[in-house]
Structure formats: structure tokens, C-alpha cells
């Protein structure tokens, strides 16, 4: 209760401060009333969703996600506006003190707010405000197909030109637009890849989240099959369960659902992809993540029945596994496919110029292709979204990788 009281006081104080800028800009009272109504609705909805709203656990439901998203959007607008107003108010305060001490009338008085500065403040604040709203309305379904050609000296001849489609982090519990997901599934199939690999986090918490979408994702197809691994969210660790048996059953149900959808789920095991007399080893581990994330992945077990000289593709949900274990392993994993980071669903990417997201401070390998010690990793930016119900600058990704035999010169 105390936390909500502090939140309300702080929120109202910020909103009141911004309201002064709005009154400086326009004398039309309806603008002020509109701002007050929107601010109250956002605040009350957030309080309702996070106090007596449905569902518990560490992963936000759709309604909670939107409540959080709208609050984040409005707070961003308020804070940026206030940064400008506060700097001006410091100037006004210093001017008033100077007049009191050294002015002719020796009276303290604050100069009027400058309309231009208030306009500038709210104009600049409107950019992230509109961007965050766009991310919730359109950005989260702004699917991009990213294509890479990767060359290897020891790629078997039969796999020169072999095409892989990778998707990751479906997070079906966050979907709210079937038409958009139908479009994305069709976009995946249009790539006509030889194999489809899914690198974990099919759900947010529960198998039931995927059930309304299972028929749609069952239509995904590739010549050499569909393979998958588990991500940290697939284990149901982020919500309370009445019993351990129910939690265990939820995971077993998800495994069965993936099988029913046509995915070959690799649980610390391998498969061989064959093309004529040539083959490559596809290895899949359960989730392994640094810090407090589940460490069920067992690379030694998964690779126990493959040959050291095999060309190897590893599916491992969390890129920290590649960083901390895979690239140092005695086996050479030519290509690892991961996801998990979502690119934080926020950042700036201009190909050839800049690639930045705050998530880089936690994950040095957070999006795209990296190479260390002669081994590649692709970190997929994710198909779905979680928490903030949108994406800004880091768009949902379908990765298409073509394996190429390096030409000797």
C-alpha cells in the first residue's frame, strides 16, 4: 500500500509539472483537460492491472503489458519535458534571487516561462512518445527477413548453398493479432529453406498459450524438417504452480504439442542432416544461461554420439552459453544459433552505420552474426515480444542463412 501511495504522489507531481508547460503553450483549456484525463486513465489502469488484475507471476499478461507500455510511454514524455522545464526553472530561480539581492526594487520574483522553451521541450518529448506508441501499434509485427551467407573451409560439398531458416522467441502468450501472425508464418514458408530451426521460448509460461496458434505454426514446412530446442520460458519457471506435478505436466504437454506441430524437439541430443553421401550434425541443447537462468543444457551429452570431425550446427537458446562454454569446447561448433535477448525490443540499427541497444551491456553477443575462434553465432532478435508490448528499432526477425563452401584461391 505504501508503494502505491508513493507511486501516485510521484506520478501526480510529474504530471502537474508538465501541465504547466502545456498551459504556457496554449490558452485553450481543453488541451489541459485532455492531458489530465489521459494521465489519470493510464495511472488508474496501471494500478488496477498490477494490484487486482488477473494473473500472477514474473511474466506480464497481455493486459498488464499494455498497462506497462502506456505508462512507460507517458512517463518518457513527462520526464523529457521536465528535463527542459527544470533547467529553465533553475534559471528563473537564480534570476529571482539576483533581483532580490541586487535589483533596483530588491524584490524576489520569477520571470515568466518562455513559451518557446516549453514548445521545444514538448516537441522533443513527442518524438519518443510517438515512437513508443508506434512500437506498440505496428513495430511489434514489423517482421524483417535478414539474410546471411556464411563461408566455411570444411563444409561438405553436398551442403554448398544449403539454406537454413531460423526463428526464435515466439512468445505466443503475447500475441493479439492473428492476421499479423498468419502473414509472418507465410513469410517464413516463402523462404523455401532446406531446414527450419526454432531456438526456444515458444510460450511465456504455459503450454495453453500456444494451443490457439498450434494449427497455424503446424503449417510451417521445410524439405529436411523442423527442429526445435527449449528456451528459459518454456519450463514454466516464472509463475506459481499449485504442485510440482502440474509444472512438470505443463512441460510434458509442451513437448507433446511441439511434436504434434511437426517439430523434432532436441533435448540434449543430435540429428544428422543428410544430402547424398554428405552429412552435417545438428546438435540441440536445453536452456543454458548465465546468472540465474536455468542451466539444463548439457553439451557433452548432446554431442556424445557425433564425430569430432563432423560439420556441426548447434541450437542453444541463450547466447551466453556460446560465450562461456561453446567456443572453448574441445569440439569445433561451426555455427551456433541462439535468441533470448530480443535485442531488448529497443535500439537503433542502421546497417553499415550503427547497431546499438541497451541490452549490449548485459550480452556482448546480442543480435546478428558474430565470429570468435573460427566459430560463428547468429543471435536472432526474436519473433515475438514480451513485457513492453512493442518493438522500437529492433524489429521481429526471420533469419535466412546460406552455407557456402569457401573457394580456395
Amino acid at each position: 500500500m505504501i508503494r502505491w501511495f508513493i507511486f501516485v504522489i510521484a506520478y501526480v507531481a510529474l504530471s502537474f509539472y508538465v501541465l504547466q508547460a502545456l498551459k504556457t503553450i496554449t490558452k485553450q483549456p481543453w488541451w489541459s483537460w485532455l492531458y489530465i484525463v489521459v494521465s489519470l486513465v493510464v495511472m488508474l489502469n496501471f494500478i488496477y492491472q498490477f494490484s487486482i488484475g488477473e494473473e500472477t507471476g514474473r511474466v506480464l499478461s497481455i493486459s498488464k503489458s499494455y498497462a506497462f507500455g502506456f505508462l512507460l510511454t507517458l512517463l518518457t514524455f513527462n520526464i523529457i519535458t521536465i528535463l527542459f522545464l527544470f533547467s529553465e526553472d533553475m534559471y528563473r530561480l537564480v534570476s529571482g534571487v539576483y533581483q532580490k539581492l541586487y535589483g533596483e526594487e530588491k524584490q524576489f520574483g520569477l520571470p515568466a516561462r518562455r513559451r518557446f522553451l516549453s514548445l521545444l521541450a514538448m516537441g522533443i518529448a513527442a518524438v519518443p512518445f510517438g515512437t513508443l506508441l508506434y512500437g506498440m501499434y505496428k513495430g511489434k509485427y514489423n517482421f524483417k527477413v535478414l539474410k546471411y551467407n556464411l563461408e566455411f573451409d570444411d563444409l561438405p560439398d553436398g551442403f554448398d548453398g544449403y539454406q537454413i531458416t531460423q526463428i526464435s522467441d515466439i512468445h505466443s502468450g503475447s500475441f493479439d493479432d492473428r492476421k499479423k501472425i498468419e502473414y509472418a508464418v507465410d513469410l517464413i514458408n516463402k523462404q523455401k529453406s532446406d531446414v527450419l530451426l526454432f531456438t526456444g521460448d515458444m510460450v511465456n509460461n504455459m503450454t495453453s498459450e500456444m494451443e490457439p496458434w498450434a494449427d497455424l505454426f503446424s503449417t510451417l514446412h521445410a524439405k529436411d524438417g523442423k527442429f526445435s530446442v527449449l528456451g528459459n520460458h518454456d519450463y514454466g519457471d516464472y509463475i506459481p504452480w499449485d504442485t510440482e506435478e502440474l509444472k512438470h505436466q505443463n512441460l510434458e504437454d509442451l513437448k507433446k504439442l511441439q511434436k504434434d506441430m511437426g517439430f523434432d524437439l532436441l533435448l540434449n541430443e543430435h540429428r544428422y542432416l543428410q544430402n547424398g553421401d554428405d552429412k552435417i550434425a545438428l546438435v540441440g541443447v536445453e536452456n543454458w544461461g548465465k546468472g540465474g537462468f536455468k542451466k539444463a543444457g548439457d553439451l557433452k551429452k548432446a554431442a556424445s554420439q557425433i564425430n569430432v570431425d563432423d560439420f556441426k550446427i548447434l541450437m542453444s537458446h541463450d547466447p551466453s552459453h556460446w560465450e562461456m562454454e561453446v567456443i572453448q569446447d574441445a569440439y569445433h561448433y561451426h555455427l551456433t544459433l541462439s535468441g533470448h535477448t530480443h535485442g531488448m525490443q529497443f535500439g537503433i540499427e542502421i546497417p553499415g552505420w550503427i547497431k546499438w541497444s541497451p541490452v549490449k551491456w548485459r550480452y556482448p553477443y546480442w543480435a546478428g552474426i558474430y565470429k570468435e575462434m573460427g566459430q560463428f553465432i547468429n543471435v536472432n532478435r526474436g519473433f515475438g515480444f514480451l513485457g513492453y508490448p512493442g518493438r522500437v528499432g529492433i524489429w521481429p526477425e526471420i533469419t535466412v542463412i546460406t552455407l557456402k563452401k569457401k573457394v580456395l584461391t
Side-chain angles (χ1 to χ4, degrees):
M1 190 64 182
I2 297 295
R3 288 182 300 174
W4 284 120
F5 178 77
I6 295 172
F7 165 76
V8 170
I9 294 299
Y11 182 88
V12 170
L14 290 174
S15 301
F16 180 78
Y17 208 163
V18 173
L19 190 60
Q20 307 315 304
L22 196 57
K23 289 181 177 179
T24 301
I25 292 172
T26 178
K27 301 303 180 184
Q28 298 294 330
W30 68 270
W31 279 105
S32 298
W33 282 111
L34 177 63
Y35 174 77
I36 291 170
V37 169
V38 170
S39 297
L40 282 175
V41 169
V42 168
M43 180 186 72
L44 293 174
N45 182 49
F46 181 81
I47 293 172
Y48 169 77
Q49 294 295 341
F50 282 83
S51 58
I52 58 177
E54 88 290 355
E55 296 189 34
T56 59
R58 291 160 54 190
V59 177
L60 304 185
S61 63
I62 293 177
S63 57
K64 284 184 177 180
S65 292
Y66 275 101
F68 168 72
F70 285 124
L71 180 74
L72 175 67
T73 301
L74 195 57
L75 282 179
T76 301
F77 176 82
N78 287 349
I79 290 170
I80 292 175
T81 301
I82 286 169
L83 288 175
F84 281 85
L85 298 184
F86 186 75
S87 62
E88 183 186 28
D89 285 346
M90 290 297 98
Y91 168 78
R92 295 169 67 213
L93 180 62
V94 170
S95 296
V97 172
Y98 180 85
Q99 291 297 325
K100 174 66 175 178
L101 296 176
Y102 304 108
E104 292 182 1
E105 298 181 1
K106 304 294 183 183
Q107 289 185 348
F108 177 81
L110 294 177
R113 289 186 183 275
R114 289 173 290 183
R115 184 172 183 270
F116 167 76
L117 197 60
S118 293
L119 273 171
L120 180 64
M122 300 193 87
I124 292 175
V127 174
F129 177 81
T131 301
L132 287 168
L133 286 179
Y134 173 84
M136 295 165 64
Y137 176 60
K138 288 253 185 173
K140 62 188 177 185
Y141 295 129
N142 185 23
F143 294 99
K144 301 295 183 184
V145 178
L146 302 184
K147 297 186 176 184
Y148 304 98
N149 293 325
L150 299 182
E151 293 186 333
F152 303 89
D153 292 320
D154 54 348
L155 179 70
D157 292 338
F159 286 87
D160 186 21
Y162 194 78
Q163 186 170 292
I164 300 165
T165 290
Q166 180 201 1
I167 57 173
S168 191
D169 300 87
I170 289 175
H171 288 291
S172 55
S174 299
F175 292 161
D176 56 7
D177 191 326
R178 189 171 184 88
K179 289 293 184 184
K180 296 294 186 183
I181 304 304
E182 288 175 352
Y183 163 78
V185 168
D186 183 58
L187 189 59
I188 294 170
N189 283 331
K190 283 182 177 178
Q191 306 314 307
K192 299 186 183 302
S193 288
D194 296 293
V195 68
L196 175 64
L197 305 179
F198 169 63
T199 47
D201 278 1
M202 185 165 281
V203 298
N204 295 345
N205 295 304
M206 303 175 68
T207 301
S208 58
E209 298 164 5
M210 190 62 193
E211 289 171 354
W213 308 95
D215 62 329
L216 183 55
F217 281 86
S218 296
T219 65
L220 290 171
H221 58 83
K223 175 175 67 71
D224 291 339
K226 306 185 294 190
F227 299 87
S228 62
V229 293
L230 296 175
N232 55 297
H233 282 268
D234 294 323
Y235 296 90
D237 287 339
Y238 304 128
I239 57 171
W241 297 89
D242 291 337
T243 66
E244 279 299 314
E245 288 75 17
L246 287 174
K247 180 181 178 182
H248 174 75
Q249 187 59 52
N250 177 72
L251 180 57
E252 293 304 309
D253 290 343
L254 182 61
K255 293 176 182 178
K256 181 179 183 301
L257 182 62
Q258 291 205 26
K259 181 179 179 181
D260 293 342
M261 292 165 57
F263 285 94
D264 186 353
L265 178 62
L266 303 184
L267 301 167
N268 294 324
E269 51 192 332
H270 81 282
R271 302 287 186 268
Y272 277 110
L273 301 176
Q274 197 85 24
N275 191 356
D277 293 331
D278 293 322
K279 64 181 180 180
I280 59 178
L282 179 64
V283 181
V285 295
E286 294 195 51
N287 190 78
W288 193 104
K290 67 180 178 182
F293 287 106
K294 181 180 287 290
K295 293 177 174 58
D298 189 334
L299 190 59
K300 299 298 183 187
K301 178 182 177 183
S304 61
Q305 298 181 46
I306 66 174
N307 301 317
V308 65
D309 295 327
D310 285 334
F311 187 93
K312 306 172 196 69
I313 297 175
L314 173 66
M315 301 167 65
S316 180
H317 176 70
D318 192 320
S320 64
H321 187 217
W322 186 74
E323 173 194 359
M324 302 182 73
E325 288 204 340
V326 176
I327 57 176
Q328 306 293 339
D329 193 81
Y331 275 20
H332 181 89
Y333 289 90
H334 298 76
L335 173 61
T336 297
L337 302 176
S338 298
H340 181 64
T341 72
H342 299 203
M344 205 173 172
Q345 297 168 211
F346 175 83
I348 302 172
E349 287 197 85
I350 303 175
W353 289 86
I354 186 172
K355 186 174 90 172
W356 177 88
S357 168
V359 78
K360 67 179 293 185
W361 296 324
R362 175 168 173 80
Y363 293 98
Y365 309 101
W366 60 274
I369 298 287
Y370 302 89
K371 186 178 183 181
E372 298 285 353
M373 300 175 62
Q375 301 170 80
F376 289 99
I377 185 173
N378 180 63
V379 184
N380 184 287
R381 293 159 181 82
F383 182 93
F385 51 92
L386 189 69
Y388 165 62
R391 284 179 176 265
V392 176
I394 306 293
W395 311 120
E397 175 180 345
I398 298 162
T399 312
V400 177
I401 297 174
T402 302
L403 307 180
K404 303 293 287 186
K405 180 87 170 186
K406 185 176 290 186
V407 178
L408 298 179
T409 57

